[in-house]
Amino acid sequence: SPFRADEPYRRALRGMYSRLAATATAALGHTPGPEPVSTLPAYTSPEELIADLSVVETSLRSHGAGALADALVVPAREAVACFGFHLCSLDLRQNSDVHERTVAELLAVAGVCQDYFGLDEAQRIAVLRAELSSPRPLASPYVQYSDETLGELAILRTAADARQRFGTMIIRHSVISKCQSVSDMLEVAVLLKETGLLVPGDDASLALDIVPLFETIDDLTRAGQVMTELFAVPEYRAWLRSARANRQEVMLGYSDSNKDGGYLASNWALYRGEVDVVAAARAAGVGLRFFHGRGGTVGRGGGPSYHAILAQPRGAVDGSLRLTEQGEVIAARYADPSLARRSLEALVAATVEASMAGPGPDDTPPEFSAAMDELAELSFQHYRALVYDTPGFADLFRQITPINEISSLNIGSRPAARTTTGRIEDLRAIPWVFSWSQCRIMLPGWFGTGSAFQTWSDGSPERVELLQRMNREWPFFRATLSNMGMVLAKSDMGIAARYVGLAEDAEFAQSVLGQLGDEHQRCLEWLQRLTGGGPLADN
């Protein structure tokens, strides 16, 4: 407009708005704001919009209007940098069993492999590698597949479409729950190939990080070996180098490992799993970032984030990390701006401090590791004996805790159980922990630890002194005891006894309550003994 010849900022901003409106229309089908004054091509990326805003900012500063740039342009530019055209990033996540069934059906229908389930691990890897060397898709639009397979393919097609419409930042990771093998990783690669999110060949591209989630005690124990074998697959290494900046992300499951093996065994399995994965990545020359699937409660990996990060083994925090901040802690940490800033500063400070240790082998004293190996095994046995090996315990748990009510709430994992068997193994970890919290027993945050200390020390002053030294000198052990002390301070066996009175079999319930009370007292006594006394939540 000739009437705007002397209004360069209005002209620039109206032009930017026109391009932004075109971007919105392409993504949403309509312009959510006023109609633009002209028709201009859409922005192809948030970076183009940031570049235009930077031009405006630079111009304002060039003639002394820096205050205006700081007040109006910089916040807009930072918002675009944070939120792009997608608002927030999402992860894909699915159980490895579902991936396995989906790939098996695709291979069978395509005539590639009729009995994928009957193959051993080496044979599966060979079949998957052969499939990943070909650009040919497996799925056919002229074949009827199971509802599960159609659903999985639809999800991936939706992800590919979202990345096309809103930008690559909207979905960047595909997380594999219950990952146990290299074939679990390659199955996801095959499914990504079906929707163009993986393109094999000389100019291979991989649009998403394929992220294994190691959840159970056994899975964490094997994590290092699985990653070593994965990094030995030439195709996978090539994808990492060419498309993923030679960096691998690995997710650790706090809730399920705790439910599987109890508090002490879970914490040690997570620590040793990190040590092994770091060693595997270092040997392969691959960068590494851990994704910590922590919850708010100690039984799900909660506790002070600053101390938790510093308690990681050497090399596990290499300049960055990911962690989940879940519903029950978001209000506590981020509802108030000053608290949110402090929470984020603590995370950044701990990440920087932990990263300064630099790469290198695990520097945990051998006698500390040896002691924890034995303590974790003793704790695991004591925990499993009650929770998994005591007939009727699962029924008692449902009678004395509000698990049924919690399962009906629209919070936590949905559904509350993976199957309808009623077994502890199939119950989701979040309602499991919440239920123990509600009846004030807090079992996931301490059970088995006191017995492990007592059995292992066996009256030996030297072993007690070693445990005390571990508390003084080892951040991991100190954080483990500190978090347990906080949970013990919240537990109340008197209130627990009232809940236990709800049980149908009073004699059996009182027997279990006696075991819980004895172990609770042992944990209290050993915590005081190893930390030098003082209030439970002293630190």
Side-chain angles (χ1 to χ4, degrees):
S1 169
F3 301 104
R4 305 300 186 193
D6 59 346
E7 298 178 353
Y9 291 103
R10 184 188 297 273
R11 295 172 68 187
L13 292 172
R14 284 194 169 187
M16 291 164 61
Y17 181 80
S18 296
R19 294 195 66 188
L20 194 57
T23 306
T25 300
L28 305 175
H30 68 283
T31 301
E35 288 299 314
V37 296
S38 58
T39 302
L40 291 175
Y43 284 112
T44 60
S45 70
E47 287 71 28
E48 288 187 353
L49 176 56
I50 290 173
D52 282 354
L53 288 167
S54 296
V55 170
V56 175
E57 178 189 357
T58 301
S59 176
L60 287 169
R61 295 191 191 284
S62 71
H63 55 72
L68 200 58
D70 290 336
L72 298 178
V73 184
V74 171
R77 177 168 52 78
E78 290 181 345
V80 177
C82 284
F83 306 117
F85 299 150
H86 63 282
L87 183 62
C88 63
S89 295
L90 302 174
D91 285 352
L92 294 177
R93 179 167 165 178
Q94 183 56 280
N95 192 291
S96 61
D97 292 341
V98 178
H99 294 149
E100 181 183 44
R101 291 194 295 268
T102 304
V103 169
E105 182 174 356
L106 291 173
L107 291 171
V109 171
V112 176
C113 177
Q114 293 301 319
D115 186 17
Y116 182 74
F117 293 109
L119 303 180
D120 62 25
E121 176 65 7
Q123 292 170 326
R124 288 187 178 194
I125 292 174
V127 169
L128 296 170
R129 286 184 63 188
E131 195 57 43
L132 289 165
S133 67
S134 168
R136 165 191 51 78
L138 285 170
S140 168
Y142 307 109
V143 174
Q144 183 61 43
Y145 296 97
S146 67
D147 289 343
E148 182 177 66
T149 294
L150 290 174
E152 291 305 304
L153 293 175
I155 289 169
L156 292 171
R157 292 184 183 117
T158 301
D161 177 66
R163 286 173 57 88
Q164 182 69 32
R165 294 170 63 197
F166 302 110
T168 59
M169 294 291 287
I170 192 168
I171 297 174
R172 294 182 291 164
H173 308 90
S174 181
V175 179
I176 308 168
S177 297
K178 211 178 80 172
C179 184
Q180 299 175 322
S181 64
V182 172
S183 62
D184 287 342
M185 300 283 289
L186 298 184
E187 285 162 6
V188 172
V190 168
L191 294 175
L192 294 179
K193 192 190 78 165
E194 289 298 304
T195 52
L197 294 170
L198 167 63
V199 179
D202 294 335
D203 297 322
S205 65
L206 177 61
L208 307 179
D209 286 339
I210 302 178
V211 183
L213 167 52
F214 300 107
E215 298 185 84
T216 67
I217 301 293
D218 286 344
D219 293 346
L220 288 164
T221 301
R222 294 196 305 266
Q225 183 61 35
V226 170
M227 298 312 296
T228 297
E229 294 172 359
L230 178 68
F231 294 145
V233 176
E235 295 88 349
Y236 191 83
R237 284 298 306 279
W239 301 334
L240 285 182
R241 282 193 298 267
S242 64
R244 310 312 302 164
N246 199 38
R247 178 176 287 267
Q248 175 69 51
E249 185 166 298
V250 174
M251 188 172 182
L252 304 171
Y254 286 71
S255 302
D256 283 282
S257 61
N258 180 291
K259 183 168 69 73
D260 182 42
Y263 178 67
L264 195 63
S266 168
N267 274 273
W268 183 235
L270 287 159
Y271 188 93
R272 288 302 296 264
E274 288 185 74
V275 170
D276 294 343
V277 171
V278 167
R282 186 184 304 114
V286 173
L288 183 67
R289 180 171 71 180
F290 281 109
F291 181 10
H292 299 271
R294 304 171 71 231
T297 55
V298 166
R300 298 197 298 114
S305 297
Y306 179 84
H307 296 295
I309 293 172
L310 293 182
Q312 303 301 304
R314 183 173 181 178
V317 185
D318 185 16
S320 68
L321 57 83
R322 288 184 84 200
L323 55 85
T324 50
E325 294 278 57
Q326 299 185 4
E328 71 273 18
V329 298
I330 289 175
R333 292 181 179 170
Y334 301 104
D336 176 78
S338 61
L339 284 177
R341 182 184 182 91
R342 179 169 177 80
S343 296
L344 293 171
E345 284 178 343
L347 290 173
V348 172
T351 302
V352 172
E353 193 172 343
S355 300
M356 287 173 65
D362 178 41
D363 54 3
T364 303
E367 63 272 24
F368 290 4
S369 294
M372 277 304 305
D373 284 339
E374 297 179 28
L375 287 164
E377 179 60 26
L378 290 168
S379 175
F380 178 83
Q381 293 173 3
H382 192 73
Y383 173 85
R384 296 284 299 195
L386 175 69
V387 174
Y388 288 91
D389 299 337
T390 300
F393 184 83
D395 292 334
L396 177 65
F397 165 71
R398 294 185 177 278
Q399 292 166 16
I400 69 172
T401 73
I403 177 64
N404 293 327
E405 289 72 23
I406 288 176
S407 298
S408 69
L409 297 176
N410 191 26
I411 62 172
S413 302
R414 308 291 299 161
R418 293 183 173 92
T419 69
T420 58
T421 63
R423 302 186 311 162
I424 300 293
E425 294 93 321
D426 297 323
L427 188 66
R428 301 294 285 270
I430 292 177
W432 164 260
V433 173
F434 280 179
S435 297
W436 287 117
S437 300
Q438 286 298 312
C439 67
R440 299 301 188 269
I441 295 176
M442 310 279 189
L443 178 145
W446 53 268
F447 191 82
T449 307
S451 289
F453 289 148
Q454 183 166 309
T455 303
W456 184 79
S457 62
D458 192 26
S460 168
E462 292 78 14
R463 289 198 163 191
V464 174
E465 168 56 31
L466 177 60
L467 292 173
Q468 292 171 338
R469 185 159 70 90
M470 289 163 64
N471 179 61
R472 292 193 302 270
E473 301 176 7
W474 194 12
F476 161 77
F477 194 71
R478 186 164 55 250
T480 301
L481 289 184
S482 173
N483 286 333
M484 185 178 76
M486 185 259 287
V487 175
L488 290 170
K490 292 179 176 179
S491 60
D492 189 318
M493 298 310 292
I495 294 177
R498 300 295 296 274
Y499 277 89
V500 171
L502 299 171
E504 296 173 4
D505 187 339
E507 183 177 354
F508 174 65
Q510 288 302 314
S511 172
V512 172
L513 179 63
Q515 294 183 60
L516 293 172
D518 291 345
E519 181 65 10
H520 187 266
Q521 186 60 34
R522 270 192 294 271
C523 289
L524 288 170
E525 292 171 356
W526 275 99
L527 183 69
Q528 298 284 325
R529 191 172 183 182
L530 299 184
T531 61
L536 284 175
D538 196 30
N539 61 343

